[in-house]
Amino acid sequence: MKKLDDPVSVLPGVGPKKVVALNKLNINTIEDLLNAFPFRYEDFAARKLAEVNDQEKVALKGTVASEPVVSRFGRNKNRLNFRFLIEHEVIMVTFFNQAYLAKQIETGKEMAIYGKWDAKKQRLMGIKILAAAAEDELGGVYRSSKEIKQSQVKKLVAEAFQAYHELLVDLIPLALRKKYRLMSRVEMVRNIHFPDNATTAKLARRTGIFEEFFLFQVKVQYLKKHNRVADGIKLDYDLSKLKVLIAQLPFTLTAAQKRVVNEICADLHHDYHMNRLLQGDVGSGKTIVAAIALYAAVTAGFQAALMVPTEILAQQHAEKFAHLFKDLDVNLALLTSATLGRASQRKELLKNLANGQVDLVVGTHALIQDDVNFKKLGLVVTDEQHRFGVSQRQILRQKGHAPDVLMMTATPIPRTLALTTYGEMDVSTIDELPAGRKAIETIWLKNKQQEQAYAFIEKQLDNGAQVYIVSPLIAESEMMDLKNAEEVYLKAKKRLEPQYHVGLLHGKMKGEEKEQVMRAFKAQQLHVLVATTVIEVGVDVPNATVMMILDADRFGLAQLHQLRGRVGRGTQQSYCLLLADPKNEYGSARMKVMTQTNDGFVIAQKDLELRGQGDVLGSKQAGVPDFKLGDPVANLNVLQVAQKEAAQIVKDPMFTTGNQSELYRYVRRSLVTGMSFD
């Protein structure tokens, strides 16, 4: 009995070597082969010579006007030449290293040849002789390798389709296919691989893109619904105590902060497991929202934990929380590798966590060590969640019985990626800055204008400002980064001291050294801080109003935006100076984007567009699916429609009770075979 998950070895002529070659292309089964769609098409429709542009790939139809001549050159290289009559013009056709084609070429024979047109030399650089040149024929171009040619892949696809096409079932419901004028699955697969014309190919790919996004979103929405009904913890927080905390804040929450606090508190109060992402731009006030959520868990009689990526950030949050909760009944602790290094202090802290005397703990990855135990952990908040691996976040969750989870990120995620990476999570977005914050003025200067930049810095220092100078980034070497930072530091000292004190901060310093430097900078004992990207996340010095980033084109847009967010934390006008001589248009485009907007969501989307899906959807964005046809950036509107329709279908009670549903069986099969989200 034939099945779509039959191994490719069932096809005639597919022996062990071909199986290995196909496996390397991630083609293991017949279904994989049918889904190995061409990534582009070659247009084999014959064109008129007068319409063809120089260096364009084209199919030309004509008559062989001379005998083929094969000449040899170099080492094992050959050239095949013959004249070709197209209507009333004679051109030269040249094939390199395909001398065997001479047998197919006869004077007076009509042929169609596909190649690249060289208008200057009136020559067609041949690629292939076409068997037939139908006016509307397209040829798919497939992924291939040294071990297997794309023509072989295409032949196997044709054989697989011929033998198995009747097993292709429709997973998109008929009502949706009619609503959006989509092909059946059989039609879609046939017309992507073997289209009659460009219009048919385009319509087939449109169906394929929708199907791909729709099936992914159905799985995501099903998982989201499943998580909602899974056993969680109901946190009966004390609303009156929360109101006291909010009333004593020295500022009024923004409308966006109030909205997300309500969203989070509603989740806490339900008995389903909260799995929520809180995203907000740099300086939008995520920390106070997290503090309110953490305090809510404490008032409900549970312990709460905040995990952050660095000791500096943990220290900063602990100090903020200590001040925020000083008049409230909250027993707060700080847990970092430095804390764990002090034996007596460590033993006491671990005991108090285990017996429940500590209500709220702020820490680094030290929180997930084996001997750290909680008595009643109700809420886990992870700040800058992308800096922790999936397994690290999972370990912290397992410290309690299904605690609610809130992940925070100051790296704005475009709608495009939020729909894919975090589709199974509820997403809360703080999309406004606190009142009184002024937009950071960003200026792009060439490296030769560094003198002007220093003059501007001196003027700002004279007015009482503090300044960050970020040294160039050498991604391949931390030691080179350090060397750069030290050179910049010495230059700044020579230029600005003794009138102004200059400090240095880099990743190779010990935790205590970093904290000492940051304390001195916050206390205004240092006026200028030269640093590597160690300052990218979380450090908060309201009096720092100027940042100069050297060789700014070496940094990505998201990183530049994060760095810039270290200034503009107070009410004073702040500035970011980008010194850069970009080597290409991509570098120049990044600098222009930075000078045009302070909106992190706009920057994130621009970053995605400039870098393309391939760079963004890699290891740094773990969890994003590798779509075969769809591009979440270019096809965002299709992705949004697919998500909306998937959510509606999964909400329908008949979706899970209809055991005959091919779509439901597909989802269950997918989840069983390992699709999971974290």
Side-chain angles (χ1 to χ4, degrees):
M1 183 178 169
K2 291 188 292 189
K3 299 193 301 292
L4 286 173
D5 59 2
D6 285 346
V8 285
S9 57
V10 300
L11 293 174
V14 180
K17 284 187 179 179
K18 267 190 187 168
V19 167
V20 171
L22 288 166
N23 291 170
K24 286 180 181 177
L25 296 175
N26 291 321
I27 298 172
N28 301 293
T29 66
I30 295 297
E31 190 166 26
D32 293 336
L33 191 56
L34 294 176
N35 289 333
F37 298 118
F39 57 86
R40 65 178 172 85
Y41 297 97
E42 292 174 330
D43 187 354
F44 296 148
R47 299 264 300 279
K48 290 186 177 180
L49 197 56
E51 300 172 350
V52 183
N53 297 316
D54 185 38
Q55 302 303 308
E56 186 179 359
K57 287 184 178 177
V58 64
L60 296 176
K61 207 173 186 179
T63 305
V64 178
S66 71
E67 289 295 324
V69 176
V70 176
S71 56
R72 304 193 180 280
F73 65 98
R75 189 175 178 182
N76 299 323
K77 293 181 180 179
N78 61 71
R79 182 190 295 112
L80 169 64
N81 284 324
F82 63 94
R83 297 189 186 282
F84 200 51
L85 176 64
I86 302 173
E87 294 179 343
H88 304 296
E89 290 188 59
V90 176
I91 66 168
M92 182 66 75
V93 176
T94 301
F95 282 94
F96 284 100
N97 301 317
Q98 296 185 67
Y100 58 87
L101 293 177
K103 294 176 183 177
Q104 300 179 38
I105 300 162
E106 300 170 13
T107 306
K109 183 178 180 180
E110 286 193 2
M111 302 185 75
I113 299 168
Y114 183 74
K116 184 185 281 188
W117 175 240
D118 186 334
K120 200 171 183 181
K121 295 181 179 178
Q122 290 288 289
R123 181 191 299 268
L124 184 69
M125 308 305 293
I127 296 172
K128 66 169 72 174
I129 293 174
L130 301 178
E135 293 301 313
D136 52 7
E137 188 175 347
L138 288 182
V141 180
Y142 292 81
R143 286 181 61 221
S144 56
S145 65
K146 289 181 180 178
E147 290 86 9
I148 188 164
K149 296 176 182 177
Q150 67 143 322
S151 58
Q152 293 175 297
V153 175
K154 187 172 183 176
K155 181 173 178 286
L156 290 172
V157 168
E159 290 174 1
F161 184 80
Q162 181 65 33
Y164 285 84
H165 69 272
E166 73 277 5
L167 298 182
L168 293 171
V169 296
D170 290 309
L171 296 174
I172 302 175
L174 180 60
L176 286 186
R177 296 208 307 278
K178 286 182 176 178
K179 182 177 180 180
Y180 296 110
R181 300 189 302 281
L182 303 172
M183 294 178 178
S184 68
R185 179 156 179 78
V186 173
E187 289 176 308
M188 181 266 286
V189 173
R190 176 194 290 117
N191 288 305
I192 289 181
H193 286 298
F194 320 109
D196 292 330
N197 52 56
T199 302
T200 307
K202 187 176 180 181
L203 291 173
R205 291 184 84 85
R206 177 178 173 271
T207 297
I209 289 167
F210 183 90
E211 182 187 86
E212 199 169 33
F213 287 158
F214 174 74
L215 294 179
F216 174 75
Q217 287 297 337
V218 168
K219 288 183 279 191
V220 161
Q221 296 301 321
Y222 178 77
L223 202 66
K224 188 173 181 178
K225 183 179 178 180
H226 179 72
N227 284 342
R228 283 260 168 179
V229 298
D231 289 341
I233 302 171
K234 184 177 181 181
L235 301 182
D236 288 317
Y237 57 82
D238 190 324
L239 182 58
S240 61
K241 289 184 178 180
L242 288 192
K243 287 181 176 178
V244 169
L245 170 64
I246 293 168
Q248 72 179 28
L249 294 174
F251 51 83
T252 303
L253 294 178
T254 65
Q257 286 174 314
K258 290 175 184 175
R259 184 184 72 248
V260 300
V261 164
N262 287 336
E263 290 170 352
I264 293 165
C265 285
D267 276 358
L268 295 176
H269 204 255
H270 280 93
D271 56 6
Y272 54 68
H273 178 255
M274 179 174 79
N275 191 26
R276 185 171 287 275
L277 175 75
L278 172 60
Q279 63 169 342
D281 212 341
V282 177
S284 61
K286 294 181 300 302
T287 303
I288 191 60
V289 170
I292 293 168
L294 292 162
Y295 183 55
V298 172
T299 67
F302 287 85
Q303 293 171 294
L306 170 65
M307 185 163 73
V308 299
T310 66
E311 290 200 15
I312 293 178
L313 199 50
Q315 181 77 39
Q316 183 173 285
H317 279 311
E319 288 172 4
K320 278 187 178 179
F321 288 172
H323 179 73
L324 186 65
F325 300 131
K326 67 178 188 296
D327 298 323
L328 302 171
D329 186 20
V330 178
N331 190 352
L332 173 70
L334 173 65
L335 182 60
T336 66
S337 54
T339 314
L340 292 178
R342 305 182 186 108
S344 58
Q345 188 178 347
R346 174 181 184 280
K347 188 176 180 181
E348 182 70 14
L349 176 52
L350 294 182
K351 185 182 83 173
N352 291 337
L353 271 174
N355 64 25
Q357 287 187 39
V358 169
D359 303 309
L360 170 59
V361 60
V362 178
T364 57
H365 60 277
L367 283 170
I368 61 176
Q369 294 194 359
D370 289 344
D371 56 355
V372 177
N373 297 299
F374 294 82
K375 182 179 182 182
K376 197 179 182 185
L377 183 61
L379 174 63
V380 169
V381 179
T382 309
D383 194 12
E384 288 303 320
Q385 59 82 27
H386 63 281
R387 295 194 164 223
F388 295 101
V390 171
S391 58
Q392 290 176 308
R393 299 199 301 267
Q394 186 65 29
I395 291 168
L396 183 54
R397 284 186 213 175
Q398 290 168 352
K399 296 285 185 181
H401 173 67
D404 284 337
V405 173
L406 178 66
M407 298 182 189
M408 300 199 299
T409 179
T411 304
I413 301 158
R415 182 77 176 144
T416 311
L417 292 185
L419 283 174
T420 51
T421 318
Y422 301 107
E424 89 289 3
M425 298 177 70
D426 295 300
V427 180
S428 292
T429 302
I430 304 179
D431 51 10
E432 67 177 307
L433 293 176
R437 288 278 173 91
K438 294 181 179 178
I440 301 165
E441 190 175 330
T442 303
I443 303 156
W444 172 22
L445 301 169
K446 299 297 176 70
N447 283 319
K448 64 183 179 183
Q449 295 174 284
Q450 192 169 135
E451 180 60 35
Q452 291 170 244
Y454 266 106
F456 179 80
I457 284 171
E458 285 177 320
K459 188 176 179 181
Q460 295 298 312
L461 287 168
D462 291 343
N463 291 332
Q466 286 174 276
V467 177
Y468 291 107
I469 299 177
V470 180
S471 66
L473 177 72
I474 307 292
E476 310 86 63
S477 168
E478 276 191 38
M479 291 309 296
M480 284 298 291
D481 283 341
L482 174 56
K483 186 180 177 185
N484 274 337
E486 287 172 340
E487 287 175 2
V488 174
Y489 169 65
L490 292 172
K491 181 175 180 178
K493 277 176 71 75
K494 187 176 180 181
R495 174 74 186 249
L496 301 170
E497 289 190 342
Q499 187 174 0
Y500 299 107
H501 298 302
V502 181
L504 176 63
L505 187 71
H506 58 78
K508 288 288 183 183
M509 297 169 93
K510 293 180 180 176
E512 289 182 12
E513 290 178 295
K514 290 178 190 173
E515 287 175 24
Q516 195 174 354
V517 171
M518 281 312 304
R519 281 196 209 98
F521 191 55
K522 288 181 80 168
Q524 299 183 41
Q525 296 164 0
L526 293 174
H527 305 97
V528 177
L529 184 60
V530 174
T532 58
T533 55
V534 71
I535 60 155
E536 180 184 341
V537 175
V539 182
D540 193 357
V541 182
N543 193 53
T545 58
V546 182
M547 172 172 285
M548 178 168 71
I549 304 176
L550 303 174
D551 287 349
D553 56 313
R554 293 183 181 176
F555 299 83
L557 264 178
Q559 196 171 31
L560 285 171
H561 183 61
Q562 287 291 313
L563 288 167
R564 178 171 63 181
R566 295 308 103 217
V567 297
R569 312 293 287 188
T571 56
Q572 299 299 311
Q573 179 62 55
S574 293
Y575 305 89
C576 180
L577 309 180
L578 305 174
L579 271 71
D581 294 323
K583 306 290 189 296
N584 51 44
E585 286 184 17
Y586 171 44
S588 297
R590 293 205 311 278
M591 298 304 103
K592 287 174 185 172
V593 169
M594 289 297 294
T595 60
Q596 289 165 354
T597 182
N598 281 282
D599 187 325
F601 292 93
V602 172
I603 286 170
Q605 184 65 34
K606 287 288 184 186
D607 195 23
L608 196 57
E609 291 166 7
L610 286 171
R611 289 162 60 185
Q613 180 186 347
D615 288 341
V616 179
L617 308 187
S619 58
K620 289 184 181 177
Q621 292 287 350
V624 180
D626 180 17
F627 295 116
K628 293 179 185 298
L629 292 171
D631 178 340
V633 180
N635 310 123
L636 175 58
N637 59 331
V638 183
L639 179 60
Q640 290 172 319
V641 171
Q643 190 206 35
K644 183 188 78 172
E645 296 292 358
Q648 285 298 114
I649 281 174
V650 172
K651 279 180 188 173
D652 186 346
M654 290 300 292
F655 176 70
T656 52
T657 57
N659 291 326
Q660 300 308 309
S661 164
E662 288 289 350
L663 181 58
Y664 179 61
R665 286 207 292 267
Y666 167 79
V667 170
R668 294 300 306 159
R669 190 167 64 247
S670 297
L671 293 172
V672 167
T673 54
M675 175 175 175
S676 61
F677 300 87
D678 186 65

